[in-house]
Amino acid sequence: MVQAKANGVDGMALALMEARAAAARGEVPVGAVVLREGVVLASAGNRTLELKDPTAHAEMLALRLACEEIGSERLIGCDLYVTLEPCPMCAAAISFSRIRRLYFGAGDPKGGAVENGVRLYASPTCHHAPEVYGGLSESEAAGMLREFFRAKRS
């Protein structure tokens, strides 16, 4: 079983809270949290609509905040928890930031780039591949996304 907690901090529970907050703002419900040694360095939810920025995915925002917090572009020894499998942009940023472990909730057959799509970390040109653990709180994360898009369609 994959360890979902780091020193008692449940990174996926915090990421799910960020996803719920994103949904409440009308954003696609994706949340992300960066932890190092059980300490939350950063957390964020999607803000692409609010910021009018196509790069304002939860992962990108959390990575930026964590880098600011520690004063480095490298997040050595840090773990990222995200509610949805990262897209190619986010997967590349995770690689470049040297995240140690990536934990994600729901897989993304259409837009994912870790276990689906381009499978960036399996590419021979990938600079750094984190340890990857998918499926944490998958049903809750996927259900939140399904409900959000169902409501958008009606």
Side-chain angles (χ1 to χ4, degrees):
M1 180 68 182
V2 174
Q3 184 171 351
K5 294 183 180 182
N7 294 335
V9 176
D10 188 338
M12 189 54 70
L14 295 173
L16 287 163
M17 285 176 41
E18 287 287 352
R20 284 189 285 279
R25 294 189 302 273
E27 301 275 0
V28 175
V30 178
V33 175
V34 178
L35 292 176
R36 184 171 64 184
E37 298 176 16
V39 175
V40 176
L41 295 180
S43 64
N46 275 358
R47 292 187 179 275
T48 60
L49 299 174
E50 175 187 340
L51 299 176
K52 296 172 183 40
D53 179 355
T55 71
H57 290 193
E59 302 95 305
M60 298 294 284
L61 297 172
L63 292 172
R64 287 177 189 146
L65 290 168
C67 286
E68 284 179 32
E69 178 67 24
I70 66 169
S72 174
E73 77 284 5
R74 300 282 188 248
L75 296 171
I76 307 294
C78 294
D79 301 330
L80 176 67
Y81 292 79
V82 62
T83 59
L84 180 66
E85 178 183 356
C87 71
M89 172 184 69
C90 294
I94 291 163
S95 174
F96 290 131
S97 69
R98 305 300 194 267
I99 285 288
R100 174 180 58 181
R101 291 185 198 106
L102 166 64
Y103 299 91
F104 70 88
D108 187 355
K110 282 178 69 176
V114 177
E115 291 183 350
N116 293 285
V118 299
R119 296 183 178 157
L120 181 74
Y121 304 138
S123 170
T125 59
C126 181
H127 295 286
H128 166 78
E131 294 174 34
V132 176
Y133 303 95
L136 271 73
S137 302
E138 182 174 18
S139 60
E140 185 175 355
M144 195 180 313
L145 286 159
R146 273 192 307 276
E147 180 54 38
F148 177 82
F149 289 112
R150 184 179 301 125
K152 286 281 186 195
R153 287 189 295 271
S154 30

